[in-house]
């Protein structure tokens, strides 16, 4: 049986990475019917929006999507397609493994952290009020009336909602993930000492949920302390459950610990659909150069195979990727030390090397 998958190539380096990933996924022997649809700034002229309805419909129909990165131009009139997709499809759990592979030029060889990031709330909820607008002025006046706090009239506002409902489901997801994947510990991240009613709520709900999982160890960390401890001793962390913004930052930090964004995959999962995409963005400066590392996109494909319960194929593909990294002969520039970067191969040659390993 072939799986129906929505494929969004994205822009920048996205089309090259998704093409390479499509090839290695097909080389596992699993069959796919790819429903290829486009989103992003390049389709605005044709559809009047960067996220046409038929793209959402395709994901709703197929329930699974593989997506390349999509550029969000700074200061442009449209919201990020990436954030919109997560919100519209209620893909509330963002799973970002940060795992060391032998052969990568890094300071650590023992990192195996899975960041479970809440994907729909927090400062990413998209509730913002521009400086000087009637709405911003009204909210500033209301806040002063209700709390006595003064906000400078020339302020812009971004609202940070964190709910019991949103926190319960993400923390439960983290604990269930830990159980299913034989993990030992969940660490909750917050800044509850300062933001008592948002991060404080996240922490207290996480503590309650932890009681439902006595077999899994639970601890919490204040986010600033966490960044220091992750850099000093990352092996102490296992599954990390966090609100949206901290999750975004920590997953890039984790990617840096294991050799860079070229090895950092991701999944956005909801009750109705799942979308697999790398942690990194569209790196526009490398567009069309056959230069970027496709492994984060491919490892997102590995996560997709696990989601499809094709774990044997997933493990074979991950092992093939790990073997190519460890040999270090046919890898992109980012996996080589500065003095050996002239020996780097391109995106499609990495796919060739992995396909050879798959046999
Ligand atoms: P980026 O992740 O595109 O690039 C950051 C750095 O990492 C750059 O130096 C880049 O060269 C390098 N890099 C990234 N991916 C790489 C790869 N596969 N191989 C080798 N090197 C790689 O981040 P940015 O420059 O901040 O963002 C560019 C655009 O991507 C922005 O418009 C941003 O909004 C968007 N973005 C999209 C997503 C997504 O689609 N989910 C995620 C993050 C950023």
């Amino acid at each position: 049986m072939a799986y129906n998958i929505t494929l969004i190539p994205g822009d920048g380096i996205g089309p090259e990475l998704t093409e390479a990933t499509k090839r290695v996924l097909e080389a596992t022997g699993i069959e796919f019917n790819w429903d290829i649809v486009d989103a992003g700034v390049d389709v605005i002229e044709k559809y009047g929006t960067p996220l046409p309805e038929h793209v959402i419909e395709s994901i709703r129909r197929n329930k699974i999507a593989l997506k390349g990165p999509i550029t969000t131009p700074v200061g442009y009139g449209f919201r990020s397609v990436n954030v919109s997709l997560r919100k519209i499809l209620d893909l509330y759990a963002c799973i970002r493994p940060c795992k060391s592979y032998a052969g990568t030029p890094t300071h650590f060889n023992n990192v195996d952290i899975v960041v479970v990031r809440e994907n729909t709330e927090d400062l990413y909820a998209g509730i913002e009020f521009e400086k000087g607008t009637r709405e911003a002025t009204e909210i500033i006046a209301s806040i002063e009336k209700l709390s006595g706090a003064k906000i400078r009239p020339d302020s812009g506002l971004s609202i940070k909602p964190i709910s019991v409902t949103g926190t319960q489901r993400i923390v439960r997801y983290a604990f269930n993930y830990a159980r299913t994947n034989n993990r030992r510990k969940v660490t909750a991240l917050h800044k509850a000492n300062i933001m008592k009613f948002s991060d404080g709520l996240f922490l207290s709900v996480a503590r309650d949920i932890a009681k439902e999982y006595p077999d899994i160890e639970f601890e919490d960390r204040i986010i600033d302390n966490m960044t220091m401890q992750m850099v000093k001793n990352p092996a102490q962390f296992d599954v990390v459950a966090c609100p949206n913004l901290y999750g975004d930052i920590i997953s890039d930090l984790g990617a840096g610990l294991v050799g860079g964004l070229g090895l950092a995959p991701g999944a956005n999962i909801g009750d109705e659909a799942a979308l697999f995409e790398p942690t990194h963005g569209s790196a526009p400066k490398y567009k069309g150069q056959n230069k970027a590392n496709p492994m984060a996109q491919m490892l997102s494909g590995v996560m997709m195979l696990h989601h499809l319960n094709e774990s044997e194929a997933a493990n074979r593909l991950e092992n093939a990727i790990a073997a190519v990294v460890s040999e270090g002969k046919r890898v992109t520039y980012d996996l080589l030390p500065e003095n050996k970067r002239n020996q780097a191969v391109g995106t499609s040659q990495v796919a060739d090397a992995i396909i050879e390993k798959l046999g």
Side-chain angles (χ1 to χ4, degrees):
M1 184 200 81
Y3 292 103
N4 296 327
I5 309 281
T6 300
L7 178 67
I8 307 172
D11 54 35
I13 55 175
E16 301 158 59
L17 304 187
T18 46
E19 177 55 30
T21 300
K22 196 164 152 270
R23 285 176 54 213
V24 298
L25 282 168
E26 286 169 355
T28 63
I30 306 289
E31 288 176 26
F32 302 95
N33 293 320
W34 302 105
D35 185 7
I36 302 178
V37 288
D38 289 317
V41 178
D42 297 344
V43 305
I44 294 178
E45 205 172 308
K46 188 163 173 197
Y47 298 107
T49 164
L51 184 52
E53 194 50 39
H54 69 267
V55 174
I56 314 258
E57 276 164 18
S58 169
I59 303 175
R60 286 214 167 105
R61 194 170 54 244
N62 295 324
K63 309 209 180 315
I64 302 209
L66 182 68
K67 174 184 158 297
I70 293 179
T71 306
T72 308
V74 178
Y76 206 75
F78 290 97
R79 285 193 65 199
S80 156
V81 168
N82 311 305
V83 175
S84 298
L85 273 172
R86 294 168 199 161
K87 279 209 84 173
I88 292 168
L89 296 164
D90 198 22
L91 305 174
Y92 63 87
C94 179
I95 317 303
R96 289 180 165 175
C98 308
K99 181 171 166 183
S100 304
Y101 289 97
T104 44
T106 62
H107 297 290
F108 300 99
N109 56 12
N110 55 354
V111 181
D112 189 5
I113 298 171
V114 177
V115 176
V116 177
R117 162 188 175 194
E118 204 290 325
N119 232 357
T120 62
E121 303 195 320
D122 197 354
L123 286 162
Y124 283 59
I127 311 166
E128 300 209 284
F129 300 93
E130 192 178 351
K131 161 194 78 88
T133 57
R134 182 181 56 79
E135 292 82 357
T137 309
E138 268 181 33
I139 292 202
I140 288 171
S142 295
I143 289 173
E144 188 171 341
K145 194 163 145 226
L146 292 170
S147 71
K150 284 207 183 305
I151 298 176
R152 293 191 184 99
D154 56 352
S155 300
L157 303 173
S158 300
I159 307 293
K160 172 173 166 138
I162 290 194
S163 69
V164 171
T165 313
T167 306
Q168 280 177 337
R169 69 179 179 173
I170 196 65
V171 176
R172 273 208 183 96
Y173 192 98
F175 274 101
N176 287 334
Y177 182 97
R179 241 183 210 169
T180 318
N181 293 280
N182 296 319
R183 300 261 173 175
R184 69 197 146 84
K185 182 169 78 171
V186 171
T187 306
L189 304 189
H190 59 87
K191 187 82 185 172
N193 49 333
I194 304 294
M195 285 164 277
K196 296 185 194 312
F197 302 136
S198 49
D199 286 26
L201 179 148
F202 186 90
L203 176 59
S204 89
V205 171
R207 282 184 174 145
D208 285 345
I209 300 288
K211 292 182 194 137
E212 298 169 15
Y213 297 83
D215 48 321
I216 312 279
E217 194 188 325
F218 174 72
E219 63 177 16
D220 69 275
R221 289 280 193 285
I222 294 177
I223 182 66
D224 38 350
N225 175 29
M226 178 70 180
T227 54
M228 185 275 289
Q229 293 204 20
M230 250 176 94
V231 171
K232 225 175 144 205
N233 177 16
Q236 67 182 298
F237 297 110
D238 192 345
V239 175
V240 174
C242 36
N244 211 333
L245 177 63
Y246 308 146
D248 198 7
I249 295 168
I250 283 290
S251 47
D252 264 42
L253 173 55
L257 293 176
V258 299
L261 285 165
L263 286 172
N268 299 285
I269 307 215
D271 293 333
E272 308 291 330
L275 181 148
F276 299 84
E277 62 177 344
T279 294
H280 64 70
S282 57
K285 67 181 175 189
Y286 295 142
K287 176 182 175 172
Q289 292 180 28
N290 191 37
K291 178 164 180 170
N293 189 348
M295 288 172 170
Q297 185 83 53
M298 291 172 175
L299 290 166
S300 307
V302 168
M303 295 177 81
M304 183 179 86
L305 288 173
H306 279 297
H307 187 82
L308 293 168
N309 283 325
E310 295 287 358
S311 290
E312 187 274 331
N315 293 335
R316 265 193 298 124
L317 179 53
E318 186 181 6
N319 290 341
I321 295 169
V324 170
V325 174
S326 132
E327 279 178 14
K329 288 189 190 127
R330 287 192 283 173
V331 293
T332 45
Y333 78 97
D334 54 308
L335 295 186
L336 291 168
E338 214 61 68
N339 61 348
K340 288 196 176 160
R341 288 202 165 164
N342 56 353
Q343 295 167 22
V345 302
T347 310
S348 61
Q349 287 70 38
V350 171
D352 297 339
I354 292 166
I355 291 168
E356 266 176 42
K357 295 279 175 211
L358 281 167

